[in-house]
Amino acid sequence: QVQLVESGGGSVQAGGSLTLSCAASGIAFNRHCFGWFRQPPGDSRMQVAGISVGQVQRYADSASGRFTISRDNEKHTVYLKMNNLKTEDTATYYCAAGEEFCLPQRLMDTTQYNTWGQGTQVTVSL
């Protein structure tokens, strides 16, 4: 079955950096779009970034300029590099697989993501 396993979360001071990884198995990795989402404590889950098969990237306003999504098609892994972290970035971060060959305009359409990882916690403190 499809498995997405996130790693790389942890505690960091404001202004610091973290890189999250999402290892995928049981899926034709090179055919799917992927997204990163986050859910702050007591809040709903929201998308922060998406990446297409052709490496097109899209970001939420809160992530633009600070976060970078990337994928390694050889390692079947999606990454989220987060720089200049802020306390409001504190959340559980989830990786999700989307449609096959999704169009770039669909990358931030949350309805296309249907397979999720278990999440990794990121805590940013002052």
Side-chain angles (χ1 to χ4, degrees), residues 6 27 29 32 39 48 53 81 87 93 95 103 113 115 119:
E6 301 96 335
I27 188 173
F29 183 88
H32 285 265
Q39 185 167 14
V48 295
V53 170
K81 181 169 176 57
T87 56
Y93 283 73
C95 171
L103 296 174
Y113 295 98
T115 303

Side-chain angles (χ1 to χ4, degrees), residues 9-84:
S11 297
V12 64
Q13 286 192 318
S17 299
L18 280 175
T19 298
L20 307 182
S21 299
C22 171
S25 61
I27 188 173
F29 183 88
N30 296 354
R31 298 167 65 93
H32 285 265
C33 296
F34 286 87
W36 280 99
F37 293 72
R38 69 185 182 188
Q39 185 167 14
D43 207 341
S44 55
R45 187 162 55 188
M46 63 194 79
Q47 188 173 4
V48 295
I51 188 166
S52 72
V53 170
Q55 308 275 3
V56 175
Q57 303 158 28
R58 294 289 185 268
Y59 299 93
D61 289 344
S62 60
S64 184
R66 298 188 299 126
F67 293 6
T68 302
I69 187 172
S70 62
R71 62 189 294 162
D72 186 327
N73 289 336
E74 296 293 326
K75 295 182 178 179
H76 291 191
T77 300
V78 184
Y79 303 96
L80 184 69
K81 181 169 176 57
M82 305 184 293
N83 293 325
N84 191 22

